[in-house]
Short mmCIF file of all heavy atoms in Angstrom, two decimals:
data_model
loop_
_atom_site.label_atom_id
_atom_site.label_comp_id
_atom_site.label_asym_id
_atom_site.label_seq_id
_atom_site.Cartn_x
_atom_site.Cartn_y
_atom_site.Cartn_z
N LEU A 1 -81.14 -78.28 48.60
CA LEU A 1 -81.60 -79.66 48.68
C LEU A 1 -82.20 -80.03 50.03
O LEU A 1 -82.54 -81.19 50.25
CB LEU A 1 -80.43 -80.61 48.38
CG LEU A 1 -79.94 -80.65 46.93
CD1 LEU A 1 -78.70 -81.51 46.82
CD2 LEU A 1 -81.03 -81.18 46.00
N ARG A 2 -82.31 -79.07 50.93
CA ARG A 2 -82.77 -79.41 52.29
C ARG A 2 -84.13 -80.13 52.26
O ARG A 2 -84.32 -81.16 52.92
CB ARG A 2 -82.87 -78.14 53.14
CG ARG A 2 -83.38 -78.40 54.55
CD ARG A 2 -83.40 -77.13 55.39
NE ARG A 2 -82.05 -76.72 55.74
CZ ARG A 2 -81.37 -77.22 56.76
NH1 ARG A 2 -81.91 -78.17 57.51
NH2 ARG A 2 -80.16 -76.79 57.04
N SER A 3 -85.09 -79.59 51.51
CA SER A 3 -86.42 -80.22 51.45
C SER A 3 -86.35 -81.61 50.84
O SER A 3 -87.03 -82.54 51.29
CB SER A 3 -87.38 -79.34 50.66
OG SER A 3 -87.56 -78.09 51.30
N TYR A 4 -85.51 -81.75 49.81
CA TYR A 4 -85.33 -83.06 49.18
C TYR A 4 -84.78 -84.07 50.19
O TYR A 4 -85.25 -85.21 50.27
CB TYR A 4 -84.38 -82.92 47.99
CG TYR A 4 -83.78 -84.21 47.50
CD1 TYR A 4 -84.53 -85.10 46.72
CD2 TYR A 4 -82.47 -84.55 47.82
CE1 TYR A 4 -83.97 -86.29 46.29
CE2 TYR A 4 -81.92 -85.74 47.38
CZ TYR A 4 -82.67 -86.61 46.62
OH TYR A 4 -82.11 -87.80 46.20
N ILE A 5 -83.79 -83.66 50.97
CA ILE A 5 -83.19 -84.57 51.95
C ILE A 5 -84.21 -84.97 53.01
O ILE A 5 -84.30 -86.14 53.39
CB ILE A 5 -81.96 -83.91 52.61
CG1 ILE A 5 -80.86 -83.67 51.56
CG2 ILE A 5 -81.40 -84.78 53.72
CD1 ILE A 5 -79.69 -82.82 52.07
N VAL A 6 -84.98 -84.00 53.49
CA VAL A 6 -85.96 -84.27 54.53
C VAL A 6 -87.03 -85.24 54.03
O VAL A 6 -87.46 -86.15 54.76
CB VAL A 6 -86.61 -82.96 55.01
CG1 VAL A 6 -87.81 -83.23 55.92
CG2 VAL A 6 -85.58 -82.11 55.76
N GLU A 7 -87.46 -85.09 52.80
CA GLU A 7 -88.54 -85.96 52.29
C GLU A 7 -88.04 -87.33 51.86
O GLU A 7 -88.65 -88.35 52.17
CB GLU A 7 -89.26 -85.29 51.13
CG GLU A 7 -90.41 -86.15 50.60
CD GLU A 7 -91.25 -85.44 49.55
OE1 GLU A 7 -91.01 -84.26 49.29
OE2 GLU A 7 -92.16 -86.10 49.00
N TYR A 8 -86.93 -87.39 51.13
CA TYR A 8 -86.48 -88.65 50.55
C TYR A 8 -85.53 -89.45 51.45
O TYR A 8 -85.30 -90.63 51.20
CB TYR A 8 -85.81 -88.40 49.19
CG TYR A 8 -86.81 -88.25 48.07
CD1 TYR A 8 -87.35 -87.00 47.77
CD2 TYR A 8 -87.21 -89.34 47.32
CE1 TYR A 8 -88.25 -86.84 46.74
CE2 TYR A 8 -88.12 -89.20 46.29
CZ TYR A 8 -88.64 -87.96 46.00
OH TYR A 8 -89.54 -87.81 44.98
N HIS A 9 -84.96 -88.81 52.44
CA HIS A 9 -84.01 -89.48 53.34
C HIS A 9 -82.95 -90.27 52.57
O HIS A 9 -82.79 -91.48 52.76
CB HIS A 9 -84.74 -90.43 54.29
CG HIS A 9 -85.76 -89.74 55.16
ND1 HIS A 9 -85.42 -88.90 56.19
CD2 HIS A 9 -87.12 -89.77 55.12
CE1 HIS A 9 -86.52 -88.45 56.76
NE2 HIS A 9 -87.56 -88.94 56.13
N PRO A 10 -82.22 -89.60 51.67
CA PRO A 10 -81.18 -90.33 50.93
C PRO A 10 -80.05 -90.75 51.87
O PRO A 10 -79.86 -90.16 52.94
CB PRO A 10 -80.69 -89.29 49.91
CG PRO A 10 -80.93 -87.98 50.58
CD PRO A 10 -82.21 -88.15 51.35
N VAL A 11 -79.31 -91.78 51.46
CA VAL A 11 -78.10 -92.15 52.18
C VAL A 11 -77.10 -91.01 52.01
O VAL A 11 -76.81 -90.59 50.89
CB VAL A 11 -77.51 -93.47 51.64
CG1 VAL A 11 -76.23 -93.82 52.38
CG2 VAL A 11 -78.53 -94.59 51.76
N LEU A 12 -76.57 -90.50 53.10
CA LEU A 12 -75.65 -89.37 53.06
C LEU A 12 -74.21 -89.89 53.13
O LEU A 12 -73.76 -90.37 54.17
CB LEU A 12 -75.93 -88.40 54.21
CG LEU A 12 -77.35 -87.83 54.26
CD1 LEU A 12 -77.53 -86.92 55.46
CD2 LEU A 12 -77.69 -87.09 52.97
N ILE A 13 -73.51 -89.80 51.99
CA ILE A 13 -72.13 -90.27 51.90
C ILE A 13 -71.23 -89.05 51.80
O ILE A 13 -71.31 -88.28 50.83
CB ILE A 13 -71.92 -91.19 50.68
CG1 ILE A 13 -72.87 -92.40 50.76
CG2 ILE A 13 -70.47 -91.66 50.62
CD1 ILE A 13 -72.74 -93.34 49.57
N ALA A 14 -70.38 -88.85 52.79
CA ALA A 14 -69.49 -87.71 52.83
C ALA A 14 -68.09 -88.13 52.40
O ALA A 14 -67.60 -89.18 52.81
CB ALA A 14 -69.45 -87.11 54.23
N VAL A 15 -67.48 -87.30 51.56
CA VAL A 15 -66.08 -87.52 51.16
C VAL A 15 -65.23 -86.61 52.02
O VAL A 15 -65.24 -85.39 51.86
CB VAL A 15 -65.88 -87.22 49.67
CG1 VAL A 15 -64.41 -87.44 49.29
CG2 VAL A 15 -66.78 -88.10 48.82
N ASP A 16 -64.50 -87.20 52.97
CA ASP A 16 -63.63 -86.45 53.89
C ASP A 16 -64.35 -85.24 54.49
O ASP A 16 -65.33 -85.40 55.20
CB ASP A 16 -62.34 -86.05 53.18
CG ASP A 16 -61.42 -87.24 52.94
OD1 ASP A 16 -61.35 -88.10 53.82
OD2 ASP A 16 -60.79 -87.31 51.87
N GLY A 17 -63.90 -84.02 54.18
CA GLY A 17 -64.47 -82.82 54.77
C GLY A 17 -65.94 -82.60 54.44
O GLY A 17 -66.58 -81.74 55.05
N GLY A 18 -66.50 -83.37 53.52
CA GLY A 18 -67.93 -83.30 53.25
C GLY A 18 -68.76 -83.66 54.48
O GLY A 18 -69.91 -83.25 54.59
N ALA A 19 -68.14 -84.41 55.41
CA ALA A 19 -68.84 -84.74 56.65
C ALA A 19 -69.13 -83.48 57.45
O ALA A 19 -70.24 -83.29 57.98
CB ALA A 19 -67.99 -85.71 57.48
N ASP A 20 -68.16 -82.59 57.53
CA ASP A 20 -68.37 -81.33 58.24
C ASP A 20 -69.36 -80.44 57.51
O ASP A 20 -70.10 -79.67 58.13
CB ASP A 20 -67.04 -80.61 58.44
CG ASP A 20 -66.18 -81.28 59.50
OD1 ASP A 20 -66.59 -81.31 60.67
OD2 ASP A 20 -65.11 -81.81 59.15
N ALA A 21 -69.36 -80.52 56.17
CA ALA A 21 -70.33 -79.75 55.39
C ALA A 21 -71.75 -80.17 55.75
O ALA A 21 -72.63 -79.33 55.93
CB ALA A 21 -70.07 -79.95 53.90
N LEU A 22 -71.99 -81.48 55.90
CA LEU A 22 -73.31 -81.97 56.28
C LEU A 22 -73.65 -81.57 57.71
O LEU A 22 -74.78 -81.16 58.00
CB LEU A 22 -73.36 -83.49 56.13
CG LEU A 22 -73.51 -84.02 54.71
CD1 LEU A 22 -73.22 -85.51 54.64
CD2 LEU A 22 -74.92 -83.74 54.17
N LEU A 23 -72.69 -81.70 58.61
CA LEU A 23 -72.94 -81.34 59.99
C LEU A 23 -73.26 -79.86 60.14
O LEU A 23 -74.08 -79.47 60.99
CB LEU A 23 -71.73 -81.71 60.85
CG LEU A 23 -71.48 -83.22 61.02
CD1 LEU A 23 -70.12 -83.47 61.65
CD2 LEU A 23 -72.59 -83.86 61.86
N GLU A 24 -72.63 -79.01 59.33
CA GLU A 24 -72.95 -77.58 59.35
C GLU A 24 -74.42 -77.34 59.04
O GLU A 24 -75.03 -76.41 59.55
CB GLU A 24 -72.11 -76.83 58.31
CG GLU A 24 -70.65 -76.65 58.67
CD GLU A 24 -69.87 -76.03 57.52
OE1 GLU A 24 -70.51 -75.52 56.57
OE2 GLU A 24 -68.63 -76.06 57.57
N MET A 25 -74.99 -78.20 58.18
CA MET A 25 -76.39 -78.06 57.79
C MET A 25 -77.32 -78.89 58.67
O MET A 25 -78.49 -79.07 58.36
CB MET A 25 -76.55 -78.49 56.32
CG MET A 25 -75.70 -77.72 55.34
SD MET A 25 -76.07 -75.96 55.29
CE MET A 25 -77.74 -75.96 54.64
N ARG A 26 -76.78 -79.41 59.77
CA ARG A 26 -77.54 -80.20 60.75
C ARG A 26 -78.02 -81.52 60.19
O ARG A 26 -79.09 -82.02 60.56
CB ARG A 26 -78.71 -79.38 61.32
CG ARG A 26 -78.24 -78.12 62.04
CD ARG A 26 -79.39 -77.37 62.66
NE ARG A 26 -78.93 -76.16 63.34
CZ ARG A 26 -79.72 -75.29 63.96
NH1 ARG A 26 -81.03 -75.49 63.99
NH2 ARG A 26 -79.21 -74.22 64.55
N PHE A 27 -77.24 -82.10 59.30
CA PHE A 27 -77.46 -83.46 58.84
C PHE A 27 -76.27 -84.32 59.27
O PHE A 27 -75.13 -83.85 59.26
CB PHE A 27 -77.61 -83.52 57.31
CG PHE A 27 -78.83 -82.82 56.79
CD1 PHE A 27 -78.71 -81.67 56.02
CD2 PHE A 27 -80.10 -83.30 57.05
CE1 PHE A 27 -79.83 -81.01 55.53
CE2 PHE A 27 -81.23 -82.66 56.58
CZ PHE A 27 -81.10 -81.51 55.81
N THR A 28 -76.52 -85.56 59.61
CA THR A 28 -75.45 -86.46 60.03
C THR A 28 -75.14 -87.45 58.92
O THR A 28 -76.04 -88.15 58.44
CB THR A 28 -75.86 -87.24 61.29
OG1 THR A 28 -76.17 -86.32 62.33
CG2 THR A 28 -74.73 -88.14 61.76
N PRO A 29 -73.89 -87.52 58.47
CA PRO A 29 -73.55 -88.47 57.40
C PRO A 29 -73.73 -89.91 57.87
O PRO A 29 -73.48 -90.23 59.03
CB PRO A 29 -72.08 -88.15 57.11
CG PRO A 29 -71.57 -87.49 58.35
CD PRO A 29 -72.72 -86.74 58.94
N ASP A 30 -74.17 -90.75 56.93
CA ASP A 30 -74.26 -92.18 57.22
C ASP A 30 -72.91 -92.85 57.01
O ASP A 30 -72.56 -93.78 57.74
CB ASP A 30 -75.31 -92.83 56.29
CG ASP A 30 -76.69 -92.26 56.51
OD1 ASP A 30 -77.22 -92.41 57.62
OD2 ASP A 30 -77.24 -91.66 55.56
N ILE A 31 -72.18 -92.39 55.99
CA ILE A 31 -70.91 -92.99 55.62
C ILE A 31 -69.90 -91.87 55.35
O ILE A 31 -70.26 -90.87 54.72
CB ILE A 31 -71.05 -93.87 54.36
CG1 ILE A 31 -71.98 -95.05 54.64
CG2 ILE A 31 -69.68 -94.37 53.88
CD1 ILE A 31 -72.37 -95.82 53.37
N ILE A 32 -68.68 -92.02 55.83
CA ILE A 32 -67.58 -91.11 55.47
C ILE A 32 -66.52 -91.95 54.78
O ILE A 32 -66.09 -92.99 55.30
CB ILE A 32 -66.97 -90.42 56.70
CG1 ILE A 32 -68.05 -89.66 57.49
CG2 ILE A 32 -65.87 -89.45 56.27
CD1 ILE A 32 -67.55 -89.07 58.79
N ILE A 33 -66.10 -91.50 53.60
CA ILE A 33 -65.10 -92.24 52.82
C ILE A 33 -64.00 -91.28 52.39
O ILE A 33 -64.25 -90.11 52.14
CB ILE A 33 -65.76 -92.92 51.59
CG1 ILE A 33 -64.75 -93.80 50.85
CG2 ILE A 33 -66.38 -91.89 50.65
CD1 ILE A 33 -65.39 -94.68 49.77
N GLY A 34 -62.77 -91.78 52.30
CA GLY A 34 -61.66 -90.95 51.84
C GLY A 34 -60.37 -91.31 52.54
O GLY A 34 -60.19 -92.45 53.00
N ASP A 35 -59.48 -90.30 52.65
CA ASP A 35 -58.21 -90.53 53.34
C ASP A 35 -58.17 -89.83 54.70
O ASP A 35 -57.15 -89.84 55.36
CB ASP A 35 -57.03 -90.09 52.48
CG ASP A 35 -57.14 -88.63 52.05
OD1 ASP A 35 -57.95 -87.88 52.64
OD2 ASP A 35 -56.41 -88.23 51.13
N PHE A 36 -59.29 -89.22 55.09
CA PHE A 36 -59.49 -88.71 56.44
C PHE A 36 -58.43 -87.70 56.87
O PHE A 36 -57.99 -87.67 58.01
CB PHE A 36 -59.56 -89.88 57.44
CG PHE A 36 -60.71 -90.81 57.17
CD1 PHE A 36 -60.58 -91.87 56.30
CD2 PHE A 36 -61.94 -90.58 57.77
CE1 PHE A 36 -61.65 -92.70 56.02
CE2 PHE A 36 -63.02 -91.41 57.50
CZ PHE A 36 -62.87 -92.48 56.62
N ASP A 37 -58.07 -86.83 55.93
CA ASP A 37 -57.06 -85.82 56.24
C ASP A 37 -57.65 -84.47 56.59
O ASP A 37 -56.91 -83.53 56.85
CB ASP A 37 -56.10 -85.66 55.06
CG ASP A 37 -56.77 -85.10 53.82
OD1 ASP A 37 -58.02 -85.16 53.75
OD2 ASP A 37 -56.07 -84.62 52.93
N SER A 38 -58.98 -84.34 56.58
CA SER A 38 -59.56 -83.01 56.81
C SER A 38 -60.83 -83.07 57.65
O SER A 38 -61.72 -82.24 57.50
CB SER A 38 -59.85 -82.33 55.47
OG SER A 38 -60.68 -83.13 54.66
N LEU A 39 -60.94 -84.05 58.55
CA LEU A 39 -62.11 -84.17 59.40
C LEU A 39 -61.92 -83.44 60.73
O LEU A 39 -60.83 -83.49 61.31
CB LEU A 39 -62.41 -85.65 59.70
CG LEU A 39 -63.48 -86.33 58.84
CD1 LEU A 39 -63.01 -86.40 57.39
CD2 LEU A 39 -63.77 -87.73 59.37
N SER A 40 -62.97 -82.81 61.18
CA SER A 40 -62.95 -82.22 62.52
C SER A 40 -63.22 -83.32 63.54
O SER A 40 -63.69 -84.42 63.19
CB SER A 40 -64.02 -81.14 62.63
OG SER A 40 -65.32 -81.72 62.59
N GLU A 41 -62.95 -83.03 64.80
CA GLU A 41 -63.24 -84.01 65.85
C GLU A 41 -64.73 -84.31 65.93
O GLU A 41 -65.13 -85.43 66.25
CB GLU A 41 -62.72 -83.50 67.20
CG GLU A 41 -61.21 -83.54 67.31
CD GLU A 41 -60.64 -84.94 67.10
OE1 GLU A 41 -61.24 -85.93 67.60
OE2 GLU A 41 -59.61 -85.06 66.41
N ARG A 42 -65.53 -83.30 65.63
CA ARG A 42 -66.99 -83.51 65.61
C ARG A 42 -67.38 -84.55 64.57
O ARG A 42 -68.23 -85.40 64.81
CB ARG A 42 -67.69 -82.18 65.35
CG ARG A 42 -69.20 -82.26 65.37
CD ARG A 42 -69.81 -80.93 64.95
NE ARG A 42 -71.26 -80.98 64.90
CZ ARG A 42 -72.01 -80.09 64.26
NH1 ARG A 42 -71.44 -79.08 63.63
NH2 ARG A 42 -73.33 -80.20 64.26
N ALA A 43 -66.74 -84.47 63.39
CA ALA A 43 -67.04 -85.43 62.33
C ALA A 43 -66.55 -86.83 62.70
O ALA A 43 -67.23 -87.83 62.42
CB ALA A 43 -66.41 -84.98 61.02
#
């Protein structure tokens, strides 16, 4: 989905550790939602 994200600029909503998944791909989440039990300090 990299090309799709670059062109459409969707709102990036991460569920807990999904924030780190986005950061791994060099995308920054707009919103993080959940119980925050699996976030890195970077996230």
Side-chain angles (χ1 to χ4, degrees):
L1 289 174
R2 178 177 288 277
S3 297
Y4 163 78
I5 296 171
V6 170
E7 181 173 356
Y8 278 88
H9 301 289
V11 178
L12 302 179
I13 302 179
V15 179
D16 288 322
D20 287 296
L22 283 166
L23 291 169
E24 286 174 14
M25 302 298 294
R26 300 183 180 179
F27 294 112
T28 302
D30 298 298
I31 297 169
I32 304 174
I33 185 171
D35 56 15
F36 298 88
D37 66 341
S38 56
L39 262 65
S40 68
E41 287 303 319
R42 183 186 178 197

